[in-house]
Amino acid sequence: EGRGMEPSSSPLTTHVLDTTSGLPAQGLCLCLSRLEDQGQHWTDLRKSYTDSDGRCPGLLPPGPMKAGTYKLSFDTEGYWKERGQESFYPYVEVVFSITNETHRFHVPLLLSPWSYTTYRG
């Protein structure tokens, strides 16, 4: 419950883990955008922060997603600065395509000051 995986929740979820501490990345600012105008312009859909579990519930309203190209931008520099940590990547952008509007999509991010990993969950 409350983790964004129940049927009435957002069709898009994310979960960010801080691999340096082994804990969820709480308070990480992120922005969800969609590519519009035949690939010429990104439209911001939602700006938010990860919760205490490293998740960001409600990225999109419940229901089908619009097919297209999306981007999750994570402010990793801000996250690491808050922790007094130098880092190499000032932000991480994960760009992905939605072709089946009825599927659910989970985009995890494993994060350290010097690397990151993502995959379709």
Side-chain angles (χ1 to χ4, degrees), residues 3-108:
R3 291 193 168 199
M5 298 306 284
E6 53 275 356
S8 63
S9 70
S10 174
L12 175 66
T13 56
T14 189
H15 189 198
V16 185
L17 297 173
D18 178 339
T19 60
T20 302
S21 67
L23 298 171
Q26 180 178 359
L28 176 66
C29 183
L30 61 97
C31 182
L32 173 65
S33 306
R34 184 175 53 232
L35 195 57
E36 304 288 353
D37 303 325
Q38 290 79 38
Q40 300 299 313
H41 173 74
W42 288 102
T43 298
D44 291 345
L45 302 176
R46 177 136 194 262
K47 180 179 177 181
S48 192
Y49 293 84
T50 54
D51 64 14
S52 62
D53 195 33
R55 298 175 188 272
C56 190
L59 278 174
L60 290 172
M65 288 182 67
K66 181 179 174 183
T69 302
Y70 289 79
K71 173 173 64 174
L72 278 170
S73 298
F74 299 89
D75 176 16
T76 53
E77 182 176 57
Y79 174 80
W80 292 117
K81 278 186 178 179
E82 279 286 316
R83 284 144 188 83
Q85 173 68 52
E86 183 183 345
S87 65
F88 184 68
Y89 298 101
Y91 57 89
V92 171
E93 292 186 333
V94 181
V95 179
F96 53 97
S97 296
I98 302 299
T99 56
N100 188 326
E101 299 171 356
T102 62
H103 286 180
R104 300 174 67 73
F105 301 89
H106 184 62
V107 182

